[in-house]
Amino acid sequence: MTTSISRRTSFIAASGNLLLWLIAAFHMLLLAALFVAFLAARPASAEDGACTGRNLMNDLQQSDPARYAEAVREAEAVPNGKGIFWKIEKAGLAPSWLLGSMHVTDPRVLALPPRAQAAHDAANTIIIESDEILDERKATAALLARPELTMFTDGTTIDKLLSAEDYKRLEAGLKQRGIPLSAVSRMRPWMISSAVALPACELARKAKGVQFLDQKIATDAVAEGKQVKGLETLAEQIQAMADLPVEFHMKSLIETLELGDKMSDVVETMTDLYLSGDIGMTMPMLKAVTPANEDQAGDYAAFEQRVILDRNKVMAERAAPILDGGNVFMAVGALHLPGQGGVIELLRKQGFTVAAVN
């Protein structure tokens, strides 16, 4: 059966599905970052690397002060929403450290805060989401081991799921990024979204071989002779996305295409929030620049549960015995940290004291 999904929305009318995908692509999934690096084989010019986005919260503060103030109030209510660097302590153990990361190559993000860099350099053990990112063969194996999670294995191709108009939009969007549609025609929509969701500057840096933050942290650790341990396998990350309905991913893909060049503004805003340590503002910001859509409440809940909360529990449970050795530097996606169900609160429940480091 052919499913035609064709929405014509403006930037302000883009739905939560798109923005949730953006969070997954830039904060949650190491695999998405690796996949884009694999696709980005075209030569990249210096001009391609120039980011052009603007901060949407600055615009909102000027255009709608009341809405901006509401976003600020909501952010301030998020537990552990301030800070990307945290100290982890337990009686009898050397202190450990927790960094919220962003899976991008932006040089501003790659430059760790001085105290975080010192903690990384002094640590005996480094924890990241998946140590498979250190070995491209392992990453490739993770993609190939469960082809049904990343590819259509029943003969379906993306053109069978799109209207003719949206298919042309996808083809054009990929062409702008130097990716032939034939290379991704059998891939599941969320895999394709990982390519079209990135602004040109990020894709260009990946094409040049620039590592994203988690890769750099792990690679530097190995070079220094440190032990690197992962909390998840890439296959587990793939499964989390594959467990969501294909309709969810199709809507996200189309809305990503609709956003076009505005993508850079969203990414710039998220990056600015990250660099300022205002992680609790991320979701209020996304909600503030989009209208409420009650019809998609189920999509929000399903995404949050499967891609964020379920994985938070896994990360905290698997990290605890490693942290019990002391002197650990741990880096996971920043949006895994805040909230009652975040990694920080879950570690506290396991007997650790976790405090923000200014």
Side-chain angles (χ1 to χ4, degrees), residues 97-112:
W97 309 89
L98 173 62
L99 176 73
S101 68
M102 191 173 181
H103 308 327
V104 296
T105 62
D106 190 314
R108 297 170 296 173
V109 173
L110 296 181
L112 293 180

Side-chain angles (χ1 to χ4, degrees), residues 274-346:
Y274 174 81
L275 294 171
S276 68
D278 200 359
I279 303 304
M281 175 61 85
T282 305
M283 285 303 297
M285 178 275 292
L286 295 174
K287 290 168 59 179
V289 299
T290 59
N293 191 330
E294 296 299 329
D295 292 339
Q296 293 173 351
D299 287 340
Y300 274 108
F303 180 93
E304 181 183 29
Q305 185 64 51
R306 188 65 189 92
V307 179
I308 303 177
L309 298 177
D310 288 353
R311 293 177 57 223
N312 289 351
K313 293 178 183 178
V314 170
M315 289 181 187
E317 290 172 359
R318 293 177 181 175
I322 307 174
L323 293 169
D324 278 334
N327 197 24
V328 172
F329 182 90
M330 175 175 169
V332 299
L335 286 184
H336 287 292
L337 303 189
Q340 294 293 346
V343 168
I344 291 171
E345 285 300 324
L346 294 175

Side-chain angles (χ1 to χ4, degrees), residues 24-74:
F26 293 112
H27 286 276
M28 299 295 177
L29 295 175
L30 294 172
L31 182 62
L34 286 169
F35 172 67
V36 172
F38 171 76
L39 282 181
R42 66 180 177 86
S45 66
E47 290 76 14
D48 287 339
C51 297
T52 59
R54 69 182 192 278
N55 191 310
L56 294 172
M57 290 304 287
N58 292 339
D59 292 351
L60 185 66
Q61 188 174 18
Q62 296 296 320
S63 64
D64 194 340
R67 202 170 188 181
Y68 175 84
E70 177 58 30
V72 171
R73 286 192 293 271
E74 186 175 343

Side-chain angles (χ1 to χ4, degrees), residues 7 47 51 63 65 72 82 85 91 107 113-114 176 178 185-187 194-195 199 205 230 251 318:
R7 292 190 175 186
E47 290 76 14
C51 297
S63 64
V72 171
K82 297 286 187 180
F85 188 49
Q176 289 177 353
S185 63
R186 294 186 179 276
M187 290 181 178
S194 66
R205 288 191 295 260
K251 287 185 288 186
R318 293 177 181 175

